Amino acid sequence: MRIVIGNLKEATHPDTLKAAFAELVSMFIFVFPSEGCAIALANMMTSDGAATPGGGFIAAAISHAFSLFVAVSVSANISGGHVNPAVTFGAFLGGHISLFKTILYWIAQLLGSVTALFLLKIATGGLDTSSYALRGGETPWNAVIFMIVMTFQLVYTVYATTIDPKSGDMECIAPISIGFVVGANTLGGGGLYGAAMNPAMAFGQAVDSWKWNSQWIYWFGPFVGAAIAALVYEAIFISSRNAHEQLPTKVVEKEYLKEYLIQVE
């Protein structure tokens, strides 16, 4: 584990602020259609008034996979395409992003989720949004284990396709790989605990519905899963060098100018 704190100059640098804004927009792109699908499914009934859970899970999985694929694609070259506080946390533990930048990403991701759900409520005429919650019959720790396993798969995939310096051409298929693993986990865990691998989405739902029951599960589980994935991948597959690229300091800038002047002379 390599922790990089960073500095205030980095946190206020235009590139950092642009990256944070990209995370906000990408989170909006992910949450709006995903939650829109959930609202539509909740209001769709068969002719006899019974819900259709089987088809609903498939539709939700497709919606999550497709929207995340797009969200990651449009921000990958700007912010790294995290679109998830747990993914950002995993990158932070590996030393690939500083603490200052991590906090900015988290704020942006939460704002993106809340904004998407707020506009979705207006657009649907006040329909209730879905909210992650235990279905009954299980303990909170059952859900925590489920969240840990699913988020481990997600963050491990992110590491393998985007963060690993040896990923190479794998970066081209990273967005679709990340979307697929979320879609698969939505199919596998949607009916049990909501497949909440994204704390920002859970937070947005809680703010919108003001239902905070078991909210800690959807933060603790994903963060633990992300930490395990990051530490395992870093320890086994990535070299020990610090991969975080700090923004140029005054010393570096002076050395660069000095070298440039020598070349000119």
Side-chain angles (χ1 to χ4, degrees), residues 32 38 50 63 115 125 139 142:
F32 193 90
S63 176
T115 302
T139 69
N142 295 139

Side-chain angles (χ1 to χ4, degrees), residues 1-2 94-96 233-244:
M1 183 170 66
R2 301 184 299 275
H96 301 279
Y233 203 97
E234 286 285 340
I236 298 176
F237 301 113
I238 296 182
S239 62
S240 59
R241 69 178 180 84
N242 192 318
H244 175 71

Side-chain angles (χ1 to χ4, degrees), residues 1-5 82 85-99 102 106 155 158-159 163-165 223 225-245:
M1 183 170 66
R2 301 184 299 275
I3 302 299
V4 178
I5 302 301
H82 294 185
V87 171
T88 302
F89 182 63
F92 166 68
L93 291 181
H96 301 279
I97 182 173
S98 71
L99 177 61
T102 295
W106 284 343
V155 176
V158 172
Y159 256 87
I163 295 179
D164 191 336
F223 270 56
I228 295 173
L231 296 178
V232 167
Y233 203 97
E234 286 285 340
I236 298 176
F237 301 113
I238 296 182
S239 62
S240 59
R241 69 178 180 84
N242 192 318
H244 175 71
E245 295 182 1

Side-chain angles (χ1 to χ4, degrees), residues 159-215:
Y159 256 87
T161 58
T162 64
I163 295 179
D164 191 336
K166 302 183 295 295
S167 59
D169 294 337
M170 285 291 291
E171 292 184 357
C172 296
I173 65 167
I176 196 169
S177 299
I178 295 167
F180 276 3
V181 73
V182 168
N185 281 332
T186 301
L187 281 173
L192 296 174
Y193 311 108
M197 295 158 277
N198 196 318
M201 180 177 279
F203 177 80
Q205 291 177 350
V207 170
D208 182 73
S209 63
W210 211 249
K211 296 178 182 177
W212 299 90
N213 298 336
S214 306
Q215 177 71 194

Side-chain angles (χ1 to χ4, degrees), residues 8-30:
L8 188 59
K9 180 182 177 181
E10 180 189 30
T12 57
H13 193 278
D15 288 343
T16 302
L17 298 178
K18 289 177 184 178
F21 183 73
E23 284 294 307
L24 187 155
V25 174
S26 287
M27 183 61 71
F28 180 91
I29 291 173
F30 171 55

